[in-house]
Amino acid sequence: MTPNGAGLKEIHNLRLRLQELTDEIARGPRQIAARQQLVDKKKTELEARRAKLKLLKVAADQKNLQLKTNEAKIHDLQGKLNAATSNREFDALRSQIAADSMANSVLEDEILEALEGCDAAQKEITTFEAEIATAEAELAKFTAQVKQKEPDLMAQAAQLEAKVTDIEKILPADILPQYRRLVQSYGPRALAPVHGTACGECFVGQRQQTIVELRAGKMVFCTCGRLMYLADDE
Ligand SMILES: [Zn+2]
């Protein structure tokens, strides 16, 4: 392989590894953000559940207050019943007390149901709080892992970049602008190995003349735009 061919192959390999590193560095914060979003969503839902429980409690309290008021009213009616002077008055008071007692019995059932509803909601909230705490602990652990790995990945990337910059000095000045544009667009795939006679990127077969030029160390771009090198040439 000509020095140029070997250089292009090395640039390609280094750029591929650099791309992997860059992707890995970018992946960490993205995963953290996604997990954070899930935790935030759960927290919002928790607040909604707490608000709902508050409403249930208010409703139960109101029914309780209503019950107490009714009981006081019945107590009052019973006093009047004891002091009733006529049968008519007695009967009217008695049926009033019966109706009010019936209403209270219904109210007592409703209160019981409301309190059970509050209990169930509270239990759900407690379970949900535990889930959120677990998710937050896991997120903190994951974030710490990502942050711990980051400096090493950055250092590796910087090292690779320096290496690439160094080896790219073999590129002639006249192809540099085109090469830079290619790297901008395709990253490591700005370069393509030629296997046999086919471009490794677009698989188009190259003319014999092109293969001869590549073998001689010439810089040749494929019609797909990539800078080619002979992969199998030793
Ligand atoms: Zn091609």
Side-chain angles (χ1 to χ4, degrees):
M1 196 177 245
T2 64
N4 277 354
L8 291 183
K9 188 175 185 173
E10 194 171 359
I11 291 172
H12 193 195
N13 288 335
L14 287 174
R15 281 208 168 273
L16 283 170
R17 269 168 57 202
L18 183 58
Q19 184 68 57
E20 276 172 25
L21 268 176
T22 312
D23 287 349
E24 196 180 340
I25 291 167
R27 197 155 49 233
R30 259 208 321 270
Q31 286 173 323
I32 290 172
R35 288 175 189 213
Q36 181 67 58
Q37 227 171 28
L38 284 180
V39 170
D40 290 347
K41 202 177 149 201
K42 281 191 176 187
K43 280 184 173 173
T44 307
E45 202 184 322
L46 176 64
E47 284 318 309
R49 286 180 186 212
R50 280 180 177 155
K52 193 182 149 199
L53 174 61
K54 215 172 174 179
L55 288 179
L56 287 176
K57 279 182 175 166
V58 168
D61 284 349
Q62 276 170 350
K63 283 185 194 293
N64 234 332
L65 193 66
Q66 182 65 49
L67 183 71
K68 295 272 182 305
T69 310
N70 287 1
E71 277 169 353
K73 190 181 156 201
I74 290 170
H75 184 77
D76 188 44
L77 288 172
Q78 252 153 2
K80 283 182 182 161
L81 183 76
N82 292 339
T85 49
S86 71
N87 278 348
R88 214 178 126 214
E89 194 189 353
F90 186 84
D91 287 343
L93 283 166
R94 210 172 50 174
S95 60
Q96 180 64 53
I97 288 169
D100 285 352
S101 298
M102 179 59 82
N104 262 11
S105 150
V106 171
L107 203 51
E108 274 167 355
D109 286 347
E110 284 176 3
I111 289 167
L112 199 64
E113 209 173 300
L115 290 178
E116 279 169 2
C118 287
D119 273 357
Q122 181 57 62
K123 269 185 195 141
E124 266 182 37
I125 285 171
T126 307
T127 308
F128 209 63
E129 281 169 342
E131 273 177 35
I132 290 172
T134 306
E136 278 193 313
E138 275 170 10
L139 176 61
K141 203 172 135 195
F142 182 74
T143 305
Q145 280 171 352
V146 168
K147 297 273 172 236
Q148 199 204 351
K149 273 202 286 183
E150 207 174 53
D152 183 44
L153 293 174
M154 301 279 253
Q156 281 183 50
Q159 224 174 18
L160 274 180
E161 258 169 62
K163 250 187 188 170
V164 168
T165 306
D166 193 42
I167 299 173
E168 279 177 350
K169 284 175 188 156
I170 64 161
L171 299 173
D174 60 329
I175 72 154
L176 269 183
Q178 191 179 351
Y179 173 79
R180 295 273 169 240
R181 273 198 306 274
L182 275 178
V183 169
Q184 193 82 37
S185 306
Y186 304 123
R189 292 168 76 182
L191 295 107
V194 173
H195 299 284
T197 60
C199 163
E201 190 62 43
C202 68
F203 307 112
V204 164
Q206 305 298 314
R207 288 177 306 145
Q208 197 50 45
Q209 177 60 29
T210 305
I211 301 297
V212 170
E213 285 173 357
L214 285 172
R215 205 161 277 153
K218 216 180 148 194
M219 299 285 163
V220 189
F221 292 92
C222 178
T223 45
C224 71
R226 271 67 172 195
L227 184 56
M228 295 183 288
Y229 64 91
L230 295 173
D232 312 319
D233 210 16
E234 291 304 326

